[in-house]
Amino acid sequence: MNSHQYDAIVVGSGISGGWAAKELCEKGLKTLVLERGRQVEHLKDYPTMTANAWDMPHRNRIPLADELENPVVNRCYAYAEDTQHFFVKDSEHPYVQNKPFDWIRGYQVGGKSLIWARQTQRWSKYDFEGPGRDGFAVDWPIRYEDIAPWYSYVERFVGISGNYDGLETLPDGEFLPAWEMNCVEKEVQKRILEAYGDRKFVIGRCAHLTQPKDVHLAQGRGQCQARNQCYRGCPFGGYFSSNSSTLPAAAKTGNLTIRPDSVVHSVIWDEAKGKATGVRVIDRVTKEATEYFAKVIFLNAACLNTNLILLNSTSSRFPNGLGNDSGILGKYIAFHNYRGTLGGRFEGFEDKYYYGRRPTAVMLPNFRNVKKQEMDFLRGYMSFYSAGRGGWGGSRDVPFGAEFKAANSEPGPWWVSMMMQGETIPKETNLVSLSPDLKDPWGIPQLQIDIAYDDNDEKIVKDFLEQGEEMLSKAGVTNIYKNDSKQAPGLDIHEMGGVRMGRDPKTSLLNGFNQMHLAPNVFVTDGAAMTSTGTQNPSITYMALTARAVDYAVRELKKGNMK
């Protein structure tokens, strides 16, 4: 036991786990990070980061046999031959789909921080006030003012590009220079603003170094090259990941120990001491069990795996899962609704083009039910659009030779595409639980997933498609198409909840500092902690909540409140 004793244990090394490790180590705690996947070192373990399509056996396509064997992960937009080594194959970690759910996972040091979409918008005060005001979930125990300084803290270290737009519904942050809209995007933005007055599209905010500052150069990171090959791992460190940023910062302190190939089975509850004392681990390769002990435990295994660990952490005191006297552990899961897309042609500007492969889109903050309930559905959606020119290499029915080359060396017409990011409402019936009879390869119960859309989600999709068509039409877009993908939940990769924050232990698992009500030395700061989803991308909120929770936890440790 003594050789396995640490000040702190962090379960998971992704976006929130990396931040927990950095903050704990920099505050002087000997910290063990447990990662269920393999070791991945920045640069060294990015095998395709500079590869060309013709360097790959299947020219960056996934073979049919893989598609048939792993249908879930093959539906992910970022999964291809050049990125497949960062994704979990369906057969490697089975789960039970009581309702269709596409669970996308990345098991390695760095987790999904290597393959995330890198979009980073702050929540507004309306997002934190909404559940309590409208009664669709428990009230958040914090408000924007509580987390705003922590948004600033993490943004400065991560490096966020964006404009200072002055929008109440999308607060400004600590920004590097923004990416630019192209000429058609600016024209669409202008026409929509003229038509509506209050619908202001702005350039996206993303975790890319457009102009690195000293804090980023000290991390060994450089400027983003607009290559759009981020999911391979970036040789420049141009985007934020645990591997390029927070984990190296933690390692510099000398307080960090990383143990890959460590599948966490459960949190250990000591009946005599009346507290959590450590975690039980199954070695991914040997299947041997080991126990590690610490004064404080941070769970950052990603939303559904954190729920799984807590549900599996049973004892005489907590027969239904750690801290689960209320019976709500694993319930009230929510996610983002991405089903709606539309687009069309834009005439003109044929003499214009644009540079590079910009890593962000143009975005419009939610304008539905922001300050009060106005629609026949709860909450709303964020909208994104981009404009570009296709046609490169698309002319095939021309004679081979100079004519073929000329025809395929010109861009085609301009197109505009739009997508939604809708808020779903946490419901008790959207839940995860443990299979009573099926085990995974490490002897842990498989996760059963019961998550689905409801009538509110259908109404949001319908409204987005109607409003999107209207906006694009007023902007001059023609030949507009609309599409509802009907995709299963999960492909958004934004699952949240199950271990939600709140004020009352009867209706929540965590307090306002992400601390478990009934196991005070256990903290949850990944997506599982979220009370509601908002319409913004969630990762920057996870980072801010994590830094804030660590600051609180260390102060409590120093006061002797976690003995």
Side-chain angles (χ1 to χ4, degrees):
M1 180 173 176
N2 290 336
S3 64
H4 290 171
Q5 183 71 49
Y6 296 85
D7 296 322
I9 291 174
V10 178
V11 179
S13 61
I15 281 174
S16 63
W19 265 99
K22 170 187 175 295
E23 295 299 296
L24 289 163
C25 287
E26 289 183 345
K27 292 179 186 299
L29 275 67
K30 295 294 183 182
T31 302
L32 172 66
V33 173
L34 296 168
E35 168 55 53
R36 68 178 295 149
R38 64 189 174 90
Q39 174 67 278
V40 169
E41 293 184 28
H42 182 52
L43 302 181
K44 175 185 173 184
D45 294 318
Y46 303 160
T48 61
M49 62 184 178
T50 58
N52 299 298
W54 53 86
D55 296 325
M56 302 174 208
H58 304 98
R59 304 299 187 262
N60 207 26
R61 298 293 298 273
I62 293 293
L64 179 60
D66 186 289
E67 291 186 14
L68 296 175
E69 185 178 355
N70 302 287
V72 170
V73 70
N74 270 280
R75 286 192 276 271
C76 180
Y77 66 93
Y79 182 72
E81 190 173 26
D82 60 344
T83 62
Q84 60 182 331
H85 46 281
F86 291 146
F87 287 84
V88 174
K89 302 291 182 71
D90 300 3
S91 57
E92 293 171 352
H93 187 198
Y95 64 101
V96 181
Q97 297 184 59
N98 286 346
K99 296 171 185 173
F101 188 92
D102 294 330
W103 190 10
I104 307 301
R105 294 153 289 174
Y107 295 163
Q108 60 265 324
V109 170
K112 293 197 295 292
S113 77
L114 291 171
I115 50 177
W116 67 309
R118 308 165 308 283
Q119 305 307 298
T120 49
Q121 313 99 20
R122 292 188 181 197
W123 280 31
S124 74
K125 65 179 182 179
Y126 303 111
D127 298 295
F128 290 102
E129 294 169 359
R133 182 193 69 199
D134 296 339
F136 64 87
V138 299
D139 189 20
W140 274 88
I142 61 172
R143 290 294 185 263
Y144 177 74
E145 291 74 19
D146 297 310
I147 196 173
W150 296 99
Y151 274 136
S152 294
Y153 178 75
V154 299
E155 285 166 345
R156 286 191 290 268
F157 189 82
V158 169
I160 307 296
S161 63
N163 275 326
Y164 294 93
D165 300 301
L167 300 180
E168 193 177 32
T169 50
L170 200 69
D172 292 328
E174 310 289 333
F175 293 147
L176 303 175
W179 297 89
E180 287 193 24
M181 299 184 201
N182 62 42
C183 56
V184 169
E185 290 167 341
K186 290 177 181 177
E187 186 65 19
V188 170
Q189 175 200 42
K190 174 172 147 304
R191 294 182 186 183
I192 290 177
L193 188 59
E194 289 172 350
Y196 294 92
D198 60 347
R199 297 189 187 181
K200 185 177 180 182
F201 279 90
V202 300
I203 192 63
R205 296 153 184 190
C206 57
H208 285 257
L209 300 181
T210 51
Q211 192 176 98
K213 293 189 175 181
D214 289 344
V215 64
H216 310 121
L217 297 174
Q219 297 171 39
R221 300 169 61 199
Q223 184 171 336
C224 174
Q225 302 296 302
R227 302 187 316 147
N228 194 31
Q229 294 177 342
C230 311
Y231 308 116
R232 300 175 172 192
C234 182
F236 308 98
Y239 74 83
F240 169 82
S241 71
S242 296
N243 306 61
S244 67
S245 187
T246 47
L247 290 178
K252 284 181 181 178
T253 66
N255 292 324
L256 176 67
T257 301
I258 298 181
R259 191 182 192 279
D261 301 316
S262 300
V263 180
V264 173
H265 173 280
S266 56
V267 177
I268 301 167
W269 179 263
D270 189 306
E271 302 284 356
K273 294 181 178 178
K275 63 180 290 186
T277 54
V279 296
R280 185 169 292 108
V281 168
I282 309 299
D283 189 281
R284 182 178 68 89
V285 180
T286 68
K287 309 294 195 305
E288 293 180 357
T290 311
E291 295 180 348
Y292 296 91
F293 304 91
K295 301 170 187 174
V296 63
I297 300 164
F298 271 72
L299 294 180
N300 302 91
C303 177
L304 297 190
N305 270 323
T306 288
N307 275 274
L308 190 161
I309 291 168
L310 288 172
L311 286 165
N312 202 42
S313 301
T314 57
S315 61
S316 297
R317 171 64 184 86
F318 296 113
N320 300 313
L322 184 65
N324 192 27
D325 285 2
S326 63
I328 65 167
L329 177 61
K331 299 178 181 178
Y332 299 99
I333 303 287
F335 52 97
H336 277 149
N337 184 345
Y338 277 121
R339 281 169 39 187
T341 56
L342 60 153
R345 290 276 301 274
F346 193 92
E347 303 297 333
F349 296 93
E350 279 81 10
D351 61 337
K352 304 291 184 184
Y353 200 66
Y354 44 90
Y355 167 77
R357 302 185 183 103
R358 190 186 64 205
T360 192
V362 185
M363 59 187 187
L364 173 66
N366 176 41
F367 56 88
R368 293 302 200 202
N369 303 320
V370 175
K371 298 181 180 180
K372 62 181 179 178
Q373 181 63 40
E374 301 167 313
M375 308 298 294
D376 66 343
F377 55 83
L378 289 165
R379 309 310 289 160
Y381 49 87
M382 198 171 192
S383 306
F384 298 85
Y385 82 84
S386 296
R389 301 185 72 175
W392 297 102
S395 300
R396 295 180 175 86
D397 296 328
V398 290
F400 191 71
E403 189 176 347
F404 182 91
K405 181 178 179 180
N408 283 282
S409 297
E410 294 296 325
W414 285 90
W415 50 264
V416 177
S417 62
M418 183 178 283
M419 62 172 282
M420 68 177 290
Q421 185 167 278
E423 181 166 358
T424 64
I425 304 305
K427 302 190 299 290
E428 188 174 12
T429 53
N430 273 354
L431 58 89
V432 295
S433 58
L434 300 184
S435 171
D437 47 20
L438 295 176
K439 306 280 188 181
D440 68 18
W442 302 276
I444 299 170
Q446 290 188 24
L447 196 67
Q448 297 182 142
I449 302 179
D450 289 89
I451 296 174
Y453 298 105
D454 63 10
D455 185 58
N456 197 76
D457 301 318
E458 301 295 338
K459 289 179 178 179
I460 283 180
V461 173
K462 181 175 182 288
D463 190 73
F464 165 76
L465 291 175
E466 290 174 352
Q467 291 299 306
E469 182 179 31
E470 182 181 287
M471 285 188 286
L472 291 186
S473 179
K474 289 186 177 183
V477 178
T478 60
N479 299 320
I480 295 174
Y481 68 85
K482 298 187 292 183
N483 181 58
D484 178 355
S485 70
K486 304 287 187 181
Q487 68 188 44
L491 283 183
D492 51 278
I493 325 182
H494 286 179
E495 52 266 21
M496 298 176 235
V499 197
R500 68 184 180 186
M501 298 170 69
R503 303 178 189 276
D504 186 349
K506 294 179 181 178
T507 57
S508 63
L509 277 297
L510 309 173
N511 67 14
F513 287 97
N514 297 78
Q515 179 183 34
M516 293 200 79
H517 292 303
L518 303 180
N521 64 330
V522 178
F523 292 76
V524 177
T525 63
D526 60 13
M530 301 293 276
T531 304
S532 60
T533 72
T535 58
Q536 293 90 319
N537 295 67
S539 295
I540 198 70
T541 299
Y542 301 165
M543 297 186 225
L545 287 173
T546 301
R548 180 174 179 267
V550 170
D551 181 73
Y552 172 81
V554 173
R555 284 190 282 113
E556 289 295 290
L557 274 173
K558 290 180 178 178
K559 292 177 185 176
N561 293 339
M562 292 188 193
K563 290 182 179 179

